[in-house]
Amino acid sequence: MSLFRAISKYIPRRLFPSTKSSTARLLLLSLILTLIVLLYKVSVTRKHFRNDPFRIIRPIAQGLQPNQRITRDGSLFIKQEMEGAMFSAKGLYETFVSVVTTSVIHNFTIHNSVKNMFTDEYNDNRYHLVGPAITWYKNEILLVQRIWLSQFEEIHKKVLKRRLWNAYQENYIYTQTFDNAYNPTSKGHILGIPTPINIGFEYRSDGPMDPRLIWIGDTLYMSLHIWLRDKTDGGVHGRMHLLNWESRKIVKLHVNLTLAHIEINWIPIDVQGTVHYIYTLDPLIVFRTNVTTGHCDIIQAPSQYSRQPYSFRHSIDHIRGGTPFLEYRWPYYIGIAHSALVTESPKGGYKVYQSHLVVMAVKPFRIVYVSAPIKFHEDFLKSSPIIRPFAQIRPFVYPVGIILRNDDVIDIGVHLNDNHAFVLRMRGIRDLMNKVILLDKKSQTLRGPPPYYVNTYVRQWTKKLVPEFTYLGDYAYTTSV
């Protein structure tokens, strides 16, 4: 205490004219220093909070913490030993098995409430709720999903043969909020997003489609796909757009690249407050996007695709977009992608889908890990009929939304068989990610695999799990990884 008193003697009295003793001055100085330290800690905490991968999942009002125990697992629980592959600049260098579980947490049973939003005396419409994007928003879970009226495509494919008395826009975006346990906290409604319609065009799906929700810094955006007549060549194409959730401003995304006839499955990712898109996972092509203008710069691509346009081929380009990537532990991000192989015989032209957990590192971008197909309970896969039997021949799960519940549990917004939307829960993420990060740091690699090594891996797994078909593209896969 004598040291503190000695220090207090050097404190000028004019700073504390109302205090007469050195002890009082010292106490007041201590309070001021404590306040300065607290303010510094708050500043550091806020900075960490913005960069924290769990910043969206722990609002104070809900009391959520990164290590909070999530006890509820829902129904149709299945445990599996899931293989996964690690990739470096040389390709696949190691595989290992992780124990994970999946279960059905929530079924978005809102068909009747959506149907009541339409005046349809002839019962023309066939309603399907697909593409459930989910995220935390203002202490609640925000759902954004696509309402798809399938009768137009069914008539076009001659699956449905009857007259339509009224023609509606084919797609709409439906939104609703839920609490921590997926109990509704609001009445759902349709977002008013003006889009071109099919009149005057050959058949093309119209209306906003395939939403994804992504936080860019402290601002929420919705990424979506819209059919329109593109000014670049005057043709009718599917193009990606980005909508600011608060201002509702929407911009069309454009890039100095020859785009495909229909652009979908771009994967949004927030890297330190800047929106990026994974254009393709393999080969890995990455855009950095200006949210104001919609302009996208190619910031990473294999050398052969930086000089000539990339042309997507259904027969050999298998792994594709799914959920956004979320930061798990810097610089590692986690997401769920889907893969699709096209059958050749005995029945050709059908797609066989799988879902995969993917780990991405950033700065530079590279694929670190890809899992074998995730397994789901057979009763779940058969719970909804396949709506597009002319395109899909097996039940499939399509991942769209993702929430990090804690460091071991993720919730995944999916639709089943192009028919119905669910939330699935996946456990076992902590041990898997610890293993991935340990192996990746041990490898000391700074570049991802050469093109088509990841595609080769997922292709081999589908051929192993679904051997009753042969698949297009064998000409491009004459060697194994």
Side-chain angles (χ1 to χ4, degrees):
M1 189 66 183
S2 59
L3 177 62
F4 296 148
R5 288 175 178 171
I7 293 174
S8 69
K9 290 179 181 179
Y10 291 95
I11 302 173
R13 288 179 178 273
R14 64 178 179 271
L15 293 178
F16 310 106
S18 61
T19 57
K20 296 181 179 181
S21 68
S22 61
T23 301
R25 292 199 301 275
L26 179 61
L27 289 173
L28 186 56
L29 178 64
S30 298
L31 289 173
I32 293 173
L33 290 175
T34 300
L35 180 61
I36 291 172
V37 170
L38 287 174
L39 289 173
Y40 172 77
K41 287 185 175 181
V42 168
S43 175
V44 171
T45 301
R46 289 184 65 188
K47 182 178 179 180
H48 172 75
F49 187 73
R50 288 193 297 270
N51 296 321
D52 184 354
F54 297 99
R55 65 188 183 276
I56 302 305
I57 72 166
R58 52 178 186 180
I60 296 174
Q62 291 177 335
L64 295 173
Q65 297 296 328
N67 296 316
Q68 179 184 357
R69 187 178 181 186
I70 305 295
T71 58
R72 192 169 69 91
D73 272 328
S75 61
L76 301 178
F77 178 93
I78 183 173
K79 185 177 182 179
Q80 61 183 291
E81 293 182 346
M82 182 179 71
E83 183 192 285
M86 298 291 298
F87 292 90
S88 68
K90 296 181 179 180
L92 190 159
Y93 68 89
E94 185 166 341
T95 62
F96 65 90
V97 172
S98 300
V99 177
V100 299
T101 65
T102 57
S103 58
V104 180
I105 291 299
H106 186 71
N107 178 351
F108 290 111
T109 53
I110 52 180
H111 179 275
N112 288 334
S113 61
V114 168
K115 185 177 181 180
N116 291 336
M117 296 177 181
F118 291 80
T119 172
D120 182 20
E121 294 179 317
Y122 290 98
N123 292 318
D124 280 337
N125 294 339
R126 298 190 174 203
Y127 306 92
H128 303 285
L129 304 169
V130 297
I134 52 176
T135 190
W136 288 105
Y137 182 72
K138 296 182 179 179
N139 301 336
E140 295 179 309
I141 294 173
L142 173 66
L143 163 73
V144 172
Q145 68 176 338
R146 169 187 169 195
I147 301 173
W148 173 41
L149 307 184
S150 65
Q151 67 269 15
F152 302 106
E153 184 177 21
E154 291 170 2
I155 289 175
H156 178 68
K157 296 292 185 179
K158 299 182 180 180
V159 175
L160 182 65
K161 296 181 180 180
R162 65 181 178 90
R163 174 184 176 182
L164 292 180
W165 294 94
N166 293 293
Y168 290 84
Q169 182 175 297
E170 186 170 353
N171 296 280
Y172 304 81
I173 298 297
Y174 174 92
T175 184
Q176 191 173 7
T177 54
F178 299 81
D179 66 14
N180 182 41
Y182 295 99
N183 299 306
T185 58
S186 69
K187 297 290 186 181
H189 64 276
I190 294 175
L191 289 179
I193 302 177
T195 64
I197 59 176
N198 274 329
I199 296 175
F201 299 159
E202 58 180 304
Y203 170 76
R204 287 291 181 268
S205 192
D206 59 8
M209 303 168 59
D210 302 333
R212 305 291 193 276
L213 292 171
I214 183 70
W215 285 91
I216 307 300
D218 297 325
T219 304
L220 180 62
Y221 289 86
M222 181 174 71
S223 179
L224 68 158
H225 156 80
I226 297 172
W227 279 97
L228 45 68
R229 191 172 294 281
D230 196 342
K231 192 175 181 179
T232 56
D233 63 3
V236 179
H237 301 294
R239 292 293 179 255
M240 295 295 299
H241 292 69
L242 190 63
L243 180 141
N244 183 308
W245 189 256
E246 294 294 341
S247 70
R248 291 296 195 264
K249 178 184 177 182
I250 189 170
V251 294
K252 175 174 166 282
L253 304 183
H254 51 93
V255 61
N256 294 329
L257 183 72
T258 302
L259 296 176
H261 175 53
I262 174 173
E263 290 290 350
I264 54 176
N265 296 323
W266 295 17
I267 309 173
I269 177 173
D270 170 24
V271 180
Q272 297 179 323
T274 301
V275 62
H276 294 70
Y277 276 100
I278 311 300
Y279 180 60
T280 58
L281 284 164
D282 185 19
L284 182 60
I285 301 175
V286 183
F287 301 157
R288 181 176 56 235
T289 302
N290 184 313
V291 298
T292 302
T293 65
H295 179 73
C296 300
D297 291 310
I298 304 172
I299 63 166
Q300 189 168 322
S303 57
Q304 60 266 45
Y305 299 112
S306 61
R307 295 188 298 270
Q308 63 185 24
Y310 165 75
S311 178
F312 179 84
R313 292 162 290 180
H314 287 276
S315 60
I316 67 173
D317 292 308
H318 303 312
I319 191 162
R320 309 172 190 179
T323 74
F325 277 102
L326 298 184
E327 184 182 340
Y328 184 87
R329 188 187 308 162
W330 181 264
Y332 299 98
Y333 285 68
I334 189 171
I336 308 294
H338 81 278
S339 65
L341 271 66
V342 181
T343 63
E344 185 173 31
S345 65
K347 295 182 178 181
Y350 293 92
K351 290 182 180 178
V352 176
Y353 287 88
Q354 308 286 357
S355 297
H356 308 264
L357 190 148
V358 178
V359 179
M360 171 88 65
V362 300
K363 293 195 172 183
F365 286 84
R366 57 191 174 88
I367 298 292
V368 175
Y369 166 93
V370 177
S371 78
I374 302 169
K375 295 179 181 178
F376 306 102
H377 200 287
E378 283 296 320
D379 290 346
F380 169 64
L381 296 175
K382 297 175 182 177
S383 63
S384 295
I386 295 174
I387 296 303
R388 304 172 73 233
F390 47 84
Q392 286 93 31
I393 200 169
R394 289 171 52 86
F396 70 97
V397 171
Y398 193 98
V400 175
I402 184 171
I403 291 177
L404 291 168
R405 298 304 300 245
N406 59 32
D407 65 350
D408 192 53
V409 179
I410 59 175
D411 286 356
I412 311 166
V414 307
H415 65 247
L416 176 63
N417 299 332
D418 275 342
N419 191 349
H420 201 73
F422 298 84
V423 177
L424 306 182
R425 179 157 292 168
M426 189 172 186
R427 288 182 179 275
I429 302 301
R430 183 191 302 115
D431 289 345
L432 185 154
M433 288 299 296
N434 286 341
K435 181 76 170 179
V436 166
I437 293 171
L438 178 66
L439 289 174
D440 185 62
K441 289 184 175 179
K442 185 178 178 181
S443 74
Q444 297 184 334
T445 186
L446 293 177
R447 291 191 297 121
Y452 291 96
Y453 272 74
V454 173
N455 274 316
T456 298
Y457 180 70
V458 301
R459 181 182 179 89
Q460 289 175 345
W461 262 106
T462 294
K463 293 180 72 173
K464 177 181 178 180
L465 293 176
V466 193
E468 58 266 34
F469 298 102
T470 61
Y471 298 92
L472 297 178
D474 277 343
Y475 69 92
Y477 292 94
T478 55
T479 59
S480 64
V481 293

